[in-house]
Amino acid sequence: MTCTETQEKLTRGEALDDGERDHALSCAECGAFAAACATLDVALTELEPCVPEGFADRVMARIEREVDGPRGRERATPTLWYEQRWAGMLLASAAALVAILNFARFVAGVLMPVGSVGGAP
Amino acid sequence: MDDAALVQSIVEGQVEHFRLVVLRYERPLFRFFARFGFAAEAREDLAQETFLRAFRALPSFDAARGSLAAWIFTIARNLAASERGRTRHLREVAPSDGAQDARSEGDGPVELHERAEAVARIRRALEGLPDALHSTFVLAEISDLSLKEVAAIEGCALGTVKSRVHRAREQLRAALGATEKST
Ligand SMILES: [Zn+2]
């Protein structure tokens, strides 16, 4: 192997095989290069931020607000008066009353004697 | 639960299962935004926005076309790129931010200062990379992604990813070496 091959492997962060490791330990240039790469790796791991406490809770709270949003608005919107249960019952009762009155008018007009309700003599 | 099953259950209404997605990807996402040079507050905003966008677009996720990790990092990369472009003129490395990243228990003031210096140095070196190298290198350094996935996200060939990572590491190493020699 050559210095270039060893240094390329080190640059890519790949593990060296036995021969390359022996070379890196005996060659001053590759040894210095390996040390520089290790310094870079250490510096990169220093750049490890911790996840702030409660992060997942904050994300989930935003998501739940978003999911609940439209449903929450549906719940908050008052339904139209004629869609309410009491209005339906009231309208049904009114229709039944009109039907009963019409039936009574029919009975009075057709079945009862004309004179008895004040017709002409 | 694999990615496809997890996504399926969320789309079918098990919204709480999205927490598993958050817990699975929060750490690599924060690392990703840190390596892009974003400060702590910006990282939280960007990570939240990534998850929110991922949640909204979840019905369009197709496991046959790529992993959930690659899909999430595509969103994160686009967000990072637009934010980086938007704040390019404002950007400056705050020394306190480096100190915050490098802090760990048991550090004395000298160690803390040295570590903060190292973080600030690497951050400056990262900032100095050209956009394409920076983005590819940061994605490749995230352990959740294979180089193939990075290539898919970047829309380039696998060989391009390898050569970009190589060039980025070379430039970073050179930049760190130069700073170390000059100090
Ligand atoms: Zn050599």
Side-chain angles (χ1 to χ4, degrees):
Chain A
M1 90 289 315
T2 63
C3 291
T4 311
E5 282 167 14
T6 306
Q7 291 181 16
E8 281 194 349
K9 249 184 149 175
L10 285 166
T11 300
R12 285 197 299 269
E14 289 173 15
L16 302 179
D17 62 32
D18 288 347
E20 287 159 343
R21 200 167 45 244
D22 288 345
H23 172 81
L25 288 170
S26 58
C27 167
E29 197 186 317
C30 287
F33 193 91
C37 285
T39 309
L40 173 61
D41 286 332
V42 169
L44 282 171
T45 48
E46 291 288 347
L47 208 63
E48 291 288 310
C50 30
V51 176
E53 209 173 310
F55 174 75
D57 290 336
R58 288 192 289 283
V59 172
M60 289 312 292
R62 278 185 75 179
I63 282 172
E64 274 153 24
R65 270 202 302 279
E66 186 154 315
V67 171
D68 283 346
R71 276 189 226 153
R73 273 197 294 281
E74 265 169 38
R75 275 198 294 274
T77 308
T79 36
L80 294 165
W81 68 270
Y82 52 79
E83 287 172 351
Q84 305 273 351
R85 193 177 157 78
W86 62 264
M89 286 172 75
L90 189 72
L91 287 173
S93 309
L97 190 67
V98 168
I100 290 166
L101 284 173
N102 276 336
F103 182 69
R105 271 183 59 201
F106 171 71
V107 168
V110 175
L111 301 179
M112 289 178 79
V114 173
S116 69
V117 286
Chain B
M1 205 186 295
D2 69 3
D3 283 353
L6 183 58
V7 169
Q8 182 74 17
S9 75
I10 298 163
V11 171
E12 282 170 0
Q14 301 287 318
V15 174
E16 185 53 31
H17 285 181
F18 193 74
R19 184 181 290 272
L20 292 178
V21 176
V22 177
L23 294 175
R24 203 173 278 179
Y25 294 108
E26 59 181 7
R27 183 164 285 280
L29 256 188
F30 271 87
R31 196 188 310 148
F32 173 78
F33 288 125
R35 291 192 177 179
F36 248 104
F38 291 108
E41 316 82 69
R43 290 199 290 262
E44 162 103 23
D45 291 346
L46 287 165
Q48 278 199 25
E49 193 56 32
T50 303
F51 282 123
L52 214 66
R53 287 188 187 191
F55 178 79
R56 287 181 193 139
L58 215 51
S60 71
F61 169 72
D62 181 2
R65 284 170 53 203
S67 70
L68 186 59
W71 192 72
I72 286 176
F73 279 106
T74 304
I75 298 173
R77 180 198 172 276
N78 292 340
L79 268 173
S82 65
E83 187 66 13
R84 200 169 186 242
R86 200 174 65 80
T87 59
R88 191 180 288 278
H89 61 292
L90 303 169
R91 213 165 47 243
E92 224 171 71
V93 176
S96 59
D97 200 40
Q100 196 185 351
D101 283 339
R103 192 169 298 145
S104 71
E105 269 177 47
D107 277 344
V110 176
E111 287 87 350
L112 196 68
H113 178 75
E114 280 173 1
R115 286 156 71 95
E117 276 293 302
V119 171
R121 250 198 336 259
I122 187 77
R123 191 167 268 172
R124 273 196 298 272
L126 274 167
E127 286 287 322
L129 289 176
D131 281 353
L133 288 195
H134 190 181
S135 167
T136 306
F137 175 73
V138 168
L139 283 166
E141 285 286 315
I142 306 293
S143 54
D144 291 70
L145 295 174
S146 68
L147 291 187
K148 240 179 160 175
E149 286 175 320
V150 175
I153 293 173
E154 291 286 351
C156 64
L158 182 61
T160 310
V161 169
K162 284 182 180 170
S163 83
R164 282 182 186 170
V165 170
H166 180 97
R167 273 154 57 209
R169 287 188 74 96
E170 224 163 37
Q171 287 192 26
L172 288 178
R173 197 182 44 75
L176 281 181
T179 341
E180 268 167 9
K181 272 174 210 151
S182 70
T183 47

